[in-house]
Amino acid sequence: MKEISHKVMMSRRSLMLTGITLLGSYVALSSLPSWAVPQEDATLQAQFMRLSNLLINHRLNPAVGARILKVAAQEHADLPAMMGQLIGIAEAKKATVVEDFFGDIPEGPLQALAHWIIFCWYTGSSSAKRDAKVFTYEEALTYQTTLDVVAIPSYGISGPNRWSQVTVALADMPRF
């Protein structure tokens, strides 16, 4: 019996085209904006942003909210119900700002969740512990309230996420 062996030969050209195709598809998919990819639970995101806007009187970034929501959902199995209860308390008081309804939130898990959400938006992290999840640095509300007078702490001389600065000579250097 004669054994037949098949060798799969791939030319350099087809290998190169395959590699370029894979790389191109990766770049194309990873560069899509977040709204182009279907969201897993847009209603939960909308509910979280609504609650956040009731608790915090600032313009909030939905992308940061999505990161906070992801951690909150991991921490609280009944998060949608808790958010619904907090929004219900605000609606019952016809609240437009946090001061209108925060005193009516009962102590316990609901008040702890409301405090945690406020903490996350202001600090940009989930807690003050070393293992905290970081949601944002530049958009943490702690810095946004004084942005016009205090620079965000950074090692970048020209600002956060700017690690190089074009140095312009003050005067022409003398030539000897």
Side-chain angles (χ1 to χ4, degrees):
M1 196 182 256
K2 189 175 181 183
E3 186 176 320
I4 301 174
S5 67
H6 295 283
K7 289 186 180 180
V8 176
M9 301 284 289
M10 188 177 245
S11 69
R12 282 184 270 168
R13 180 176 293 176
S14 63
L15 180 63
M16 181 76 87
L17 288 174
T18 302
I20 289 172
T21 303
L22 288 173
L23 180 64
S25 61
Y26 171 76
V27 169
L29 288 175
S30 65
S31 65
L32 284 174
S34 61
W35 55 263
V37 180
Q39 298 297 319
E40 294 163 1
D41 196 356
T43 57
L44 189 62
Q45 172 73 22
Q47 184 183 27
F48 181 77
M49 289 306 294
R50 182 170 179 217
L51 175 60
S52 293
N53 283 314
L54 285 167
L55 292 170
I56 294 126
N57 302 324
H58 292 282
R59 193 172 332 161
L60 304 175
N61 183 334
V64 175
R67 290 186 286 249
I68 296 172
L69 174 61
K70 184 177 178 184
V71 172
Q74 292 171 352
E75 300 284 324
H76 304 282
D78 57 342
L79 182 66
M82 292 174 77
M83 289 192 307
Q85 289 174 345
L86 288 169
I87 291 171
I89 293 169
E91 287 175 345
K93 294 296 254 178
K94 295 182 178 36
T96 57
V97 292
V98 67
E99 291 83 9
D100 293 344
F101 75 98
F102 198 83
D104 295 318
I105 298 174
E107 287 188 29
L110 285 179
Q111 196 174 74
L113 177 63
H115 278 131
W116 184 80
I117 291 171
I118 293 169
F119 179 87
C120 291
W121 280 107
Y122 273 92
T123 64
S125 62
S126 63
S127 73
K129 297 178 182 174
R130 294 179 74 94
D131 63 344
K133 303 274 191 275
V134 177
F135 308 117
T136 184
Y137 180 73
E138 267 184 85
E139 295 187 39
L141 295 177
T142 299
Y143 302 120
Q144 299 304 312
T145 56
T146 59
L147 190 61
D148 56 339
V149 291
V150 179
I152 296 173
S154 173
Y155 290 106
I157 295 168
S158 57
N161 295 330
R162 296 185 188 122
W163 300 104
S164 64
Q165 178 178 359
V166 177
T167 306
V168 180
L170 297 175
D172 292 333
M173 294 298 293
R175 296 183 190 198
F176 298 101

